Amino acid sequence: MSLGPDPRSLCERYTDETYARMRDDHARTCAYEQAIKAVASGRVCLDIGTGALGLLAVMAARAGAAHVYAIEANAQAYAAAVQTVADLQLSDRVTVLQGYSTDVQLPRRVDLLLHEILGEIAGAEGVVVAVRDAAKRHLATTTRVLSSATATAATDASAGDSESAAESAAVAPAIVSIPVRARTLLAPAEFPGAHYFASLPFPMLAAPGATVLKLPSLPRDVLLAAPQTFEDLRFDAAAPEGVHDVTLEFVLERPGALRGLALHVEVFMTDADASVPDVSSAQPGSHWPNVFMLLSEELQVEAGKRVVVRACARLETDQPLYTFEVEVCGKPVGARMHYPDNLVPGAAPGDVQDLGRRNGRRI
Ligand SMILES: C[S@@+](CC[C@H](N)C(=O)[O-])C[C@H]1O[C@@H](n2cnc3c(N)ncnc32)[C@H](O)[C@@H]1O
């Protein structure tokens, strides 16, 4: 029995089609472009996971970055990015490097990290390890010290650098990472009904016994309470937390058949404390699927009932892992759920078995 794909092997799954789909996710791409235009001018940038289109690297070069280093693990995407950069006559301003970012050495330090290595659960594609590593080995210390709140994390990240403490104390530009924050929210939910599956352009597939479903959009009418954050990745000091243990309490807004947890991701480009995220996977048109963690049993619940969700994220290793446990009125509902889903021998999360045909039936 194996866990789901680790972040390194996920890099091999990207294709021309997935890069085009991400580019055409208008809300996401425009939000990155706007943020990069506002921040990258005159700075040396590192784009972690540049993809076949070198998307963020090209944006930064066009925004007047002093130089851009762009790292890509996928060999085909790397070759395509080199070609794209050459075709755009940006080869003197963008250096594309092949490899997994934690293995790659840069010729100099940078002032700004760019990255879109966020998963359908934000930390699932290894962004925490990649950003922490980039902060330590590639980010100039002068750009890291922002405020007393972030100074400790930045200093930790720079331990062992040859750059001086005096340099660290210099006043610095406020943004060291685009995005500056990504978070994942969850809400107790019913199983989507027949109308939801009927609205999809293709049938939904899931492994028999799977605990993880990937829905192309968030069916908001299944939520039994407003979503709450369980994973909050703050990149403002380029030192996102690797361990998240959160207990969330929901008071149900309506009665229903509790069947799982509906998750979505929100991204903040330059203002970590903005009241509205720049990008949300709950918005129509998002390329990120919405994860539905499926409980092993269904429970009829009344409005006003208290549902407690214990969510744990372990993101500091090469294999990010999440677990979720649900309680209603102090009693566990179903078994503990895992992401990636390792409960089904031999099955990858989201694999085969027709769920569309079970349209709307409670399972
Ligand atoms: C979600 S795609 C984003 C591509 C592009 N930056 C964009 O925004 O459209 C993530 C890309 O990063 C690569 N990748 C993920 N983690 C990486 C890492 N730590 N080092 C190098 N490449 C990575 C993947 O192979 C993939 O090409």
Side-chain angles (χ1 to χ4, degrees), residues 46 79 151:
L46 168 60

Side-chain angles (χ1 to χ4, degrees), residues 7-8 10-14 18-19 22-23 28-29 32 47-57 71-74 77 97 99-102 104 115-118 125-127 129-130 287-288:
R8 280 177 192 255
L10 273 175
C11 293
E12 301 313 312
R13 293 188 171 192
Y14 286 94
T18 48
Y19 291 118
M22 289 185 282
R23 176 199 59 204
R28 179 202 80 117
T29 299
Y32 269 102
D47 177 11
I48 308 170
T50 198
L53 306 174
L55 198 73
L56 309 186
I71 304 179
E72 176 50 54
N74 177 309
L97 301 148
Y100 200 72
S101 64
T102 53
V104 172
H115 50 95
E116 201 286 69
I117 47 178
L118 300 170
E125 293 191 7
V127 69
V129 168
H287 79 283
W288 281 293

Side-chain angles (χ1 to χ4, degrees), residues 310-323:
R310 272 181 257 288
C312 296
R314 294 286 177 271
L315 311 176
E316 73 280 55
T317 68
D318 288 342
Q319 172 66 78
L321 289 173
Y322 297 83
T323 59

Side-chain angles (χ1 to χ4, degrees), residues 175-296:
I175 291 171
V176 296
S177 167
I178 296 176
V180 73
R181 180 184 184 193
R183 66 182 181 189
T184 315
L185 298 86
L186 65 81
E190 296 189 296
F191 195 73
H195 60 285
Y196 173 77
F197 290 104
S199 73
L200 301 179
F202 47 84
M204 282 294 302
L205 305 174
T211 61
V212 179
L213 306 182
K214 299 186 185 191
L215 306 178
S217 61
L218 183 71
R220 285 182 184 274
D221 60 348
V222 304
L223 305 187
L224 294 166
Q228 297 182 34
T229 302
F230 72 90
E231 172 190 51
D232 199 352
L233 307 179
R234 308 285 298 222
F235 303 117
D236 29 8
E241 290 288 324
V243 174
H244 302 250
D245 281 336
V246 176
T247 300
L248 302 174
E249 188 173 319
F250 299 86
V251 178
L252 299 186
E253 292 165 8
R254 63 179 180 84
L258 174 64
R259 191 60 172 92
L261 304 173
L263 276 56
H264 76 276
V265 169
E266 294 182 344
V267 185
F268 300 77
M269 291 298 168
T270 56
D271 181 355
D273 298 313
S275 53
V276 180
D278 294 295
V279 189
S280 167
S281 67
Q283 291 303 321
S286 172
H287 79 283
W288 281 293
N290 292 108
V291 168
F292 192 96
M293 298 299 307
L294 192 63
L295 280 165
S296 54

